[in-house]
Amino acid sequence: MRALLTLNTGSSSIKFRLFGLGADLPFLLGGKVTDIGGNAVFQVHEEEHSRDETHILPTGTTHESALSYVLDWLLSHQDGWTLDAAAHRIVHGGERYRAPVRLDAEAMRYLQSLCPLAPLHQPHNLAAIDALAKLHTNLPQYGCFDTAFHTGHDALRIAYALPESARAHGVRRYGFHGLSYAWIAHCLRCDYPALSQARVVAAHLGNGASLCAMRDGKSIDTTMGMTALDGLPMGTRCGSIDAGATIYMQRKMGLTVDALEQLLYNESGLKGLSGISNDARTLSESSDPRARFALDYFVWKCTQHIAAMAATLGGIDALVFTGGIGENNAGIRAQITQGLSFLPIFENLVVPANEERGMALEIYETFGKELTR
Ligand code: AMP
């Protein structure tokens, strides 16, 4: 069987999954390398033999050596399948990419130019593509974009209230977490066909967090903007903030642009508010009032923004939770729905995130013919 490798590369992790290239996209195996740059660990789960392996990787493991380890492991454990292609999760596709694309030098140049718009993710996403191209020269590689699901937004949702001189520079809203939302739209179509036509607010609540207003399975509005910093507060990102406050911090605190970027992306959100952790589970288990304060803030902002998404849709028929917090933290879900109890009754669902299968589906639907020829 021909197989597709999906890769989701972050600042300190690489998550991989292998799917058979057939109509039902059988899951063959999956795993991850975590704590790259620290005490890197490789873990894999093989579905067929229900086998799990964990290997400690040498100190000094880089993204490239971790990827090389993954590839070596895969190619030495081929079991009735051949590796035929790889698909990468890429956070920003800019104005150009509205669908998955075969990655070539020109595509990479364009995607590199978007790195300042997603400094936490894009450079790692692209480095994995370069590394894989060196390790497996002829392997076709594809990009799936977190911005793509939102590309049908009308002009009203895209704009910032800035003068044309700024908008002409491409200052506009995009939206992210699109692979997660596309997967939810797919699951609704399969499992809740009546809801898939309805007014749905999807809440991706994890270390990154955003909302998507969907109608007829399409994105109408979303909380993230030009960058993945906007909207809800997150693990370490601030979410929406008065732009004037950022100007004030630069002047008053003497922050350079890089220092401000570090503060807003890596030191804020749950971590900044609590001074304890970016991790919602750790905060939920803590008796420290600062932890409670950070979680109360998160719940309030989620509630407020969901109501805003409902306003975009002219009502809400279903609220769908996904992501690590959305799937596992029933307390936070209950507080959010309680805060929305002034709205007419709507359905509450949890759909587990599966961006990897969503990517495999996108690639199979778009490039299946050329891949299985
Ligand atoms: P994600 O970025 O989707 O992996 O989500 C990470 C967030 O989900 C962290 O804040 C975790 O604390 C939270 N989370 C993950 N698993 C659980 C769990 N079983 N119970 C409560 N929170 C969880």
Side-chain angles (χ1 to χ4, degrees):
M1 175 186 293
R2 290 159 183 255
L4 172 77
L5 175 68
T6 64
L7 286 166
N8 183 353
T9 309
S11 56
S12 65
S13 69
I14 298 174
K15 295 181 193 140
F16 62 93
R17 291 206 186 165
L18 196 72
F19 295 93
L21 281 167
D24 55 348
L25 295 166
F27 172 67
L28 303 173
L29 57 85
K32 57 189 174 183
V33 182
T34 47
D35 211 2
I36 298 169
N39 304 313
V41 176
F42 167 89
Q43 288 168 285
V44 65
H45 169 75
E46 209 185 1
E47 190 72 358
E48 172 81 3
H49 307 291
S50 172
R51 191 171 64 189
D52 291 306
E53 281 186 32
T54 300
H55 305 178
I56 309 290
L57 300 190
T59 38
T61 292
T62 61
H63 279 80
E64 189 165 345
S65 57
L67 198 57
S68 167
Y69 195 90
V70 170
L71 208 61
D72 285 347
W73 192 93
L74 287 174
L75 296 178
S76 59
H77 288 77
Q78 292 191 63
D79 184 10
W81 53 264
T82 55
L83 180 58
D84 271 37
H88 296 261
R89 180 178 181 185
I90 302 177
V91 67
H92 217 307
E95 297 207 313
R96 193 181 286 180
Y97 295 125
R98 295 164 170 254
V101 70
R102 173 107 184 232
L103 296 165
D104 57 17
E106 168 50 25
M108 289 297 283
R109 265 193 298 279
Y110 177 69
L111 294 171
Q112 284 289 357
S113 76
L114 301 173
C115 283
L117 300 185
L120 226 51
H121 301 99
Q122 190 92 342
H124 299 294
N125 304 157
L126 301 187
I129 299 162
D130 285 335
L132 192 57
K134 278 191 219 143
L135 294 164
H136 199 314
T137 325
N138 295 320
L139 189 71
Q141 298 198 66
Y142 298 88
C144 297
F145 302 99
D146 265 314
T147 44
F149 188 64
H150 304 295
T151 51
H153 285 184
D154 68 30
L156 213 55
R157 319 282 176 225
I158 290 171
Y160 288 114
L162 292 169
E164 174 56 27
S165 55
R167 286 181 284 136
H169 279 279
V171 182
R172 49 154 287 185
R173 303 180 70 237
Y174 289 96
F176 299 86
H177 285 142
L179 294 167
S180 174
Y181 295 129
W183 176 249
I184 288 175
H186 169 80
C187 292
L188 292 179
R189 266 194 306 279
C190 295
D191 302 332
Y192 306 90
L195 279 184
S196 83
Q197 311 295 311
R199 298 163 302 181
V200 174
V201 178
H204 181 110
L205 308 181
N207 207 26
S210 73
L211 304 171
C212 178
M214 291 187 215
R215 197 187 293 123
D216 295 328
K218 299 206 165 44
S219 172
I220 306 294
D221 194 5
T222 191
T223 51
M224 282 177 169
M226 182 173 186
T227 71
L229 198 56
D230 203 4
L232 304 179
M234 305 172 221
T236 63
R237 285 172 259 169
C238 60
S240 299
I241 183 171
D242 178 352
T246 65
I247 298 168
Y248 177 85
M249 284 191 286
Q250 283 185 284
R251 291 217 176 101
K252 186 77 179 174
M253 297 162 65
L255 296 182
T256 62
V257 173
D258 286 349
L260 183 62
E261 184 175 90
Q262 168 70 13
L263 183 144
L264 299 175
Y265 277 92
N266 296 318
E267 307 297 336
S268 299
L270 295 176
K271 181 181 173 191
L273 281 171
S274 69
I276 299 170
S277 173
N278 66 308
D279 191 285
R281 180 160 34 179
T282 306
L283 297 178
S284 295
E285 289 163 358
S286 166
S287 56
D288 191 314
R290 295 173 304 159
R292 185 73 264 148
F293 178 77
L295 290 175
D296 284 349
Y297 187 93
F298 181 74
V299 165
W300 166 54
K301 283 293 175 188
C302 288
T303 310
Q304 191 183 44
H305 282 261
I306 291 167
M309 290 291 121
T312 297
L313 291 168
I316 175 170
D317 301 305
L319 175 59
V320 182
F321 288 101
T322 194
I325 300 172
E327 291 166 35
N328 299 300
N329 198 318
I332 286 184
R333 284 202 307 271
Q335 285 179 65
I336 292 171
T337 38
Q338 171 61 31
L340 293 165
S341 56
F342 68 93
L343 291 170
I345 288 175
F346 55 87
E347 289 217 44
N348 262 291
L349 303 174
V350 174
V351 173
N354 198 341
E355 285 104 333
E356 291 80 10
R357 179 167 285 281
M359 283 161 64
L361 196 62
E362 277 192 358
I363 297 296
Y364 187 70
E365 284 174 352
T366 317
F367 300 103
K369 284 209 180 82
E370 73 180 51
L371 281 170
T372 50
R373 232 192 327 257

